[in-house]
């Protein structure tokens, strides 16, 4: 376990509009407002489409990160995540659990690669002033990007 105490800054609520791509909109917002690190305490809403790291077939080794993704249409969902520095820019890292509206709410969950807003998505962001948060490959996690404190 890694741990650190956070020095917090500003706090926002954002409302994303139909057609916006969630991660791209949040990355652009971070650049515009100067947010370098933070927590996405909550986001929720209606999505026209969501692409997650996931698979539809049995995995050969469940310990390894999945190399595939799935796209699912017309969902309602909720998630959270972090904002950290990667390659000199703030990057948003989100996970979501979302139910397909036409399938009785059958759910998909996982690391969000992309999502298009259908009606609205509301986001609560808390800025972290210190320490610096970074995303970098962690060999102990099969090389996937993990959160580190500088």
């Amino acid at each position: 376990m890694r741990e650190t105490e956070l020095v917090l800054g500003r706090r926002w609520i954002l409302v994303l509009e139909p057609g916006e791509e969630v991660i791209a909109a949040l990355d652009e917002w971070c650049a515009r407002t100067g947010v370098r690190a933070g927590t996405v305490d909550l986001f929720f809403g209606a999505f026209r489409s969501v692409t997650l790291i996931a698979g539809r077939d049995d995995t050969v080794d469940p310990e390894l990160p999945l190399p595939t993704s799935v796209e699912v249409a017309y969902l309602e969902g909720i998630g959270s995540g972090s904002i950290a520095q990667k390659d000199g820019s703030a990057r948003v890292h989100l996970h979501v659990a979302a139910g397909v509206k036409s399938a009785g709410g059958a759910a998909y969950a996982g690391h969000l690669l992309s999502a298009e807003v259908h009606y609205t998505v509301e986001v609560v962001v808390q800025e972290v002033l210190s320490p610096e948060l970074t995303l970098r490959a962690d060999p102990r996690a099969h090389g996937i990007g993990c959160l580190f404190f500088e």
Side-chain angles (χ1 to χ4, degrees):
M1 174 189 304
R2 294 183 299 273
E3 66 178 77
T4 189
E5 186 174 350
L6 301 176
V7 177
L8 301 176
R10 303 167 288 177
R11 189 169 172 90
W12 288 269
I13 187 162
L14 314 172
V15 179
L16 304 182
E17 297 177 343
E20 288 191 279
E21 198 291 315
V22 172
I23 294 175
L26 293 176
D27 282 346
E28 183 279 324
W29 175 82
C30 287
R32 185 171 46 78
T33 60
V35 171
R36 294 182 43 81
T39 58
V40 178
D41 297 339
L42 174 70
F43 73 96
F44 60 93
F47 305 97
R48 183 169 285 124
S49 65
V50 168
T51 303
L52 303 167
I53 292 178
R56 296 187 190 272
D57 301 320
D58 290 339
T59 59
V60 175
D61 184 351
E63 284 290 317
L64 297 176
L66 287 172
T68 58
S69 63
V70 297
E71 184 174 338
V72 187
Y74 299 104
L75 308 101
E76 298 274 343
I78 188 168
S80 60
S82 61
I83 301 167
Q85 289 292 300
K86 182 178 181 185
D87 302 325
S89 298
R91 299 286 185 217
V92 176
H93 173 213
L94 300 174
H95 282 244
V96 65
V100 180
K101 294 192 291 186
S102 64
Y108 288 80
H111 172 80
L112 187 67
L113 294 173
S114 66
E116 182 183 348
V117 175
H118 189 204
Y119 305 123
T120 185
V121 170
E122 298 172 18
V123 185
V124 178
V125 177
Q126 175 69 59
E127 182 180 36
V128 172
L129 299 175
S130 176
E132 182 175 56
L133 305 180
T134 60
L135 287 175
R136 66 175 189 253
D138 185 347
R140 297 170 301 161
H142 298 281
I144 66 170
C146 294
L147 185 66
F148 284 86
F149 322 118
E150 305 302 329

